[in-house]
Amino acid sequence: MQGKKDYQEKLFIRFQLSDYVPADNFYRRLKSILDLNFVYDTTSKYYGTEGQKSIDPVVFFKLMLVGYLENLNSDRRIIATSRMRMDILYFIGYDLDEELPWHSTLSRTRQLYGEEEFTAVFKQVLKKCIDAGLVAGKRQAIDSAFVKANAAMSSLVEREIMNDAATYGKQLDDHNDEDPAGDIPDENTKPKPRKNAKVDKKANSKRYSPSDPDARLSVKPGKTTRLNYSAHISVDTQNHVITHIQAFHADKGDAPCLPEILTHVAGNLKDNGMEIEDVLADTGYSGEAALLFLAGNHIKGFIPNRPGCQSRESRQGFSYDGEQDRYVCPEGKNLTFHNFKKAENDNTHKIYRTSVKDCRDCPLKSTCANLQGFKVFKDSVAKDLYIEMHERMQTRQGSKARKVRQSTVEPVLGTLINFTGMKQVNTKGLELANKCMIMAAIAYNLKKLVNGIPAKIRRRKRKLPGNHSDAVINTLSACLLKIANILTAFSIDYKSKWPNNHLLCNLIIQPF
C-alpha cells in the first residue's frame, strides 16, 4: 500500500543540537580541539565597561573560520550558511532559535581588532600542529601568488606626480589670491627637473584606485592586468603545514620580501623550540637582500639564480684574482676595485675599472673600453653568494629541493586560492588583506590538524622494536636467509629431475 507523509508542525519539541551532530562531523571534532578562550583577554582592550554588549570574540573568530572553511567570500553568506547548518551552529555555540549576529558586525569587528589578535590565533593553531607532530621546522618552502583586491579596474584614476618641492611651491604661488602677479607665469623661474630624475614607466606610479589605494596593478604571464595584493607563504615540507603568511603590495618583488618573511617564520618556530635549516624558493626570490640574509643567519638556501646571472669566468679573456679582489684583462692590466654604487633596485654593486692610462695604448681599446677610455666591470656585493647558490643548485640535493618545493608549497597555494576563500579579499587596505590571509591560513592548518592526525600518527607509530638500525638489519637478514633456502631447495630438486639443464646445474647458493 502506498504511503503518504502527513506533516503538521509541532508547537513544542525537545531538541538538542549535540544529539543530531554526528561524532565524526568535522565541526564537532574541530570544536573539541580548538580552544579560543584566550582571545577574551587579548581583545578586552577594545571595549569599555558600559554600553551595549558586543559580539562574543570567540564567536567572531569562529564565524570567520567558517567563511574560509566553506569557501565563502562574503559576510552575508557566512551568516546565511551558518543559520542553515546544524553542525556550524553547534560549533559556534548557538541554538536553532537564537538569532545570529548581523553581517555588518563581522565587518566592523574585523576592522576593530588589530593584526596581532589574528596572529595570536594563528600561532595557537600552529602550536597545536607542532604538538601533534605535523611540523618538523627544519626545511621551509616559500612561494607567492597574487590575490585579487576588492577594487575594480574602472575605479583607476590618474596619480598626480610632483617631481620636487619647487613644483609644489610654485603651484601654491599660482593659486594665491593675495598675489595677483602670481597668475602670470615666468619662464625664467620654471623649475628644472632633478638631474637624477628618470621617467617612471610603471603603471602604479601613474594610476591608482581611490577605493583601495594599497591595491597595485600587476599581471601574471598569460593573465589579464588587475588590481592585486601579493600573498607570501612559508610551508613546512614535512606535512605541508603553513608556518607564516603575509600580504605585501603586488608591485614589490619577491626577493626584498624574503628577509621579513623568514624573520617571522623563525620567530614562530623559535617559540616552539625549532630552528630553520633549509629554505626552498623559486627564482623570483633570488636577490641580493635575500642571499645576504640567508648567509647572515646561517640558513642554507636552495634558490635558482635569475637568467643572465653570470659567473666571473664567463667574462671572456678576463681572469679574476680572488686574493687581490681584481680582474686581469688579456693585456695584463688590472681592473681594481674602485667604489660601491647603489642601483635602482636597492642592490649595491662593486665597481672594478682600469685607469685611462692603462687603456690609452691598448690595441683592444676600440672594442673593449668605454667612451671615457677605460674598462668597467660591476659585480653585486653578493657575487660569491650567487656563485655558491648556482653550484649548490647543480648538485643532486639542489635538484631534489626544486622538486620538493614544487610538490609542497604550490599545491598549498592552489588550495588556499581555490578552496579556502583567498581568491579575492573582501576588504580594503593592506592591513585588512593581511588579516584575511591569516584567517585563510588558520583554516587550512585546522583542516590538516583535524583530518590529518589519525593517518599521520598511525604511520609514525609503526616502528620496529629495539634499536632501529639493528632491527632493520636483522629483519632483512632473516628474509634473505629464507629466500636463499627456498632457492637452494628448488635448485637441488631441479637438478635431480633435469640433469641436462646446465644453467641451473651450475646454480650455487651461498649460505648467509
Side-chain angles (χ1 to χ4, degrees):
M1 185 177 68
Q2 185 183 42
K4 185 178 180 181
K5 176 71 171 66
D6 293 328
Y7 173 71
Q8 183 176 0
E9 189 173 3
K10 294 182 180 180
L11 182 61
F12 301 100
I13 186 172
R14 182 183 179 278
F15 182 87
Q16 282 188 322
L17 279 174
S18 57
D19 296 336
Y20 291 88
V21 179
D24 60 345
N25 178 269
F26 174 81
Y27 285 103
R28 182 156 195 158
R29 288 185 290 157
L30 180 58
K31 183 181 178 68
S32 64
I33 292 175
L34 185 62
D35 182 12
L36 297 178
N37 289 328
F38 71 93
V39 300
Y40 290 119
D41 294 332
T42 59
T43 59
S44 60
K45 58 186 177 183
Y46 299 103
Y47 301 104
T49 57
E50 299 178 354
Q52 189 176 3
K53 290 185 178 181
S54 70
I55 184 176
D56 189 313
V58 173
V59 173
F60 164 75
F61 279 106
K62 287 186 175 182
L63 285 172
M64 288 289 99
L65 286 175
V66 168
Y68 292 100
L69 290 170
E70 299 294 328
N71 200 15
L72 305 174
N73 201 10
S74 166
D75 294 340
R76 290 179 183 267
R77 292 181 61 192
I78 292 173
I79 298 301
T81 303
S82 300
R83 185 178 289 114
M84 299 180 63
R85 292 272 299 271
M86 288 193 299
D87 55 349
I88 295 178
L89 289 175
Y90 179 74
F91 172 63
I92 63 178
Y94 273 70
D95 280 324
L96 288 175
D97 57 346
E98 282 190 273
E99 189 68 24
L100 291 179
W102 194 247
H103 66 85
S104 61
T105 305
L106 301 181
S107 177
R108 291 196 299 267
T109 307
R110 187 192 298 113
Q111 297 178 23
L112 175 65
Y113 291 167
E115 188 178 319
E116 61 274 10
E117 317 306 335
F118 294 82
T119 304
V121 177
F122 174 82
K123 290 183 177 181
Q124 180 75 6
V125 174
L126 179 61
K127 184 179 185 303
K128 289 184 176 295
C129 293
I130 293 175
D131 295 340
L134 298 177
V135 179
K138 294 183 179 180
R139 187 167 56 179
Q140 303 294 314
I142 298 175
D143 203 354
S144 65
F146 288 143
V147 177
K148 189 177 180 181
N150 190 15
M153 293 290 291
S154 58
S155 66
L156 290 173
V157 297
E158 296 294 327
R159 187 191 299 269
E160 296 181 2
I161 302 176
M162 298 182 180
N163 291 329
D164 51 18
T167 305
Y168 180 69
K170 184 177 183 301
Q171 289 184 354
L172 290 178
D173 294 336
D174 291 343
H175 294 84
N176 190 355
D177 296 334
E178 298 179 0
D179 186 8
D183 296 334
I184 304 175
D186 188 358
E187 295 182 357
N188 296 327
T189 61
K190 185 177 181 179
K192 297 181 179 180
R194 292 177 295 176
K195 184 177 180 181
N196 296 328
K198 294 184 179 180
V199 178
D200 191 354
K201 298 180 180 180
K202 295 182 179 180
N204 289 300
S205 64
K206 299 177 182 179
R207 296 185 296 171
Y208 79 105
S209 173
S211 62
D212 189 357
D214 288 335
R216 297 288 187 269
L217 285 168
S218 57
V219 61
K220 282 282 189 180
K223 303 292 183 179
T224 58
T225 303
R226 63 185 187 183
L227 290 164
N228 293 320
Y229 288 100
S230 182
H232 294 253
I233 66 169
S234 174
V235 178
D236 188 81
T237 58
Q238 181 177 356
N239 289 299
H240 302 190
V241 174
I242 299 174
T243 54
H244 180 65
I245 188 168
Q246 190 171 353
F248 290 89
H249 290 122
D251 59 347
K252 188 175 183 179
D254 290 344
C257 300
L258 187 62
E260 185 175 352
I261 296 169
L262 288 179
T263 300
H264 289 291
V265 175
N268 293 342
L269 296 178
K270 187 177 180 181
D271 294 339
N272 296 277
M274 294 182 173
E275 292 184 0
I276 307 175
E277 294 183 2
D278 299 339
V279 169
L280 320 179
D282 60 10
T283 307
Y285 289 91
S286 176
E288 181 180 298
L291 295 180
L292 291 175
F293 181 86
L294 292 174
N297 290 273
H298 308 289
I299 300 174
K300 183 186 291 186
F302 292 90
I303 308 174
N305 291 336
R306 296 178 183 270
C309 185
Q310 300 178 347
S311 63
R312 292 191 172 99
E313 291 75 14
S314 62
R315 288 168 170 151
Q316 189 173 4
F318 291 82
S319 60
Y320 178 72
D321 183 1
E323 295 182 357
Q324 301 295 328
D325 190 22
R326 64 185 181 183
Y327 286 92
V328 181
C329 75
E331 297 296 319
K333 303 300 182 180
N334 295 326
L335 283 80
T336 57
F337 169 71
H338 188 263
N339 65 298
F340 292 102
K341 184 177 180 180
K342 201 76 172 178
E344 292 182 359
N345 55 1
D346 292 332
N347 289 343
T348 304
H349 291 154
K350 295 178 67 175
I351 306 300
Y352 298 87
R353 52 167 288 185
T354 61
S355 63
V356 177
K357 181 179 179 181
D358 291 337
C359 299
R360 182 176 299 160
D361 301 325
C362 179
L364 302 176
K365 179 180 179 181
S366 59
T367 59
C368 182
N370 59 15
L371 295 177
Q372 285 75 26
F374 55 87
K375 180 67 175 177
V376 178
F377 281 157
K378 61 179 181 179
D379 283 344
S380 170
V381 293
K383 185 70 174 180
D384 293 333
L385 298 177
Y386 279 110
I387 296 173
E388 180 183 353
M389 186 66 70
H390 177 73
E391 294 174 350
R392 183 180 300 151
M393 293 304 298
Q394 304 308 311
T395 62
R396 184 177 179 181
Q397 188 180 11
S399 178
K400 182 180 179 181
R402 193 193 305 265
K403 295 179 182 179
V404 170
R405 187 200 67 82
Q406 292 175 348
S407 62
T408 300
V409 66
E410 292 181 3
V412 174
L413 269 176
T415 302
L416 286 174
I417 293 173
N418 296 314
F419 304 106
T420 322
M422 217 177 76
K423 183 172 291 186
Q424 178 180 356
V425 295
N426 60 347
T427 58
K428 297 181 183 294
L430 182 63
E431 183 179 355
L432 288 174
N434 196 34
K435 295 176 185 178
C436 293
M437 295 178 188
I438 292 174
M439 292 305 300
I442 294 172
Y444 178 89
N445 284 348
L446 285 174
K447 285 184 179 180
K448 285 282 184 183
L449 185 64
V450 175
N451 297 329
I453 284 179
K456 297 297 180 182
I457 295 299
R458 285 198 300 267
R459 192 175 303 169
R460 292 196 183 93
K461 286 187 176 180
R462 195 179 301 158
K463 299 178 181 179
L464 292 173
N467 191 337
H468 292 259
S469 58
D470 294 340
V472 171
I473 294 174
N474 294 336
T475 304
L476 290 177
S477 299
C479 292
L480 291 174
L481 184 59
K482 290 182 180 180
I483 294 173
N485 293 334
I486 293 172
L487 291 176
T488 303
F490 177 77
S491 175
I492 294 173
D493 184 61
Y494 204 73
K495 281 186 193 180
S496 62
K497 292 183 179 180
W498 294 278
N500 294 327
N501 192 320
H502 299 287
L503 293 175
L504 288 177
C505 285
N506 297 327
L507 182 63
I508 301 175
I509 303 299
Q510 296 293 338
F512 282 78

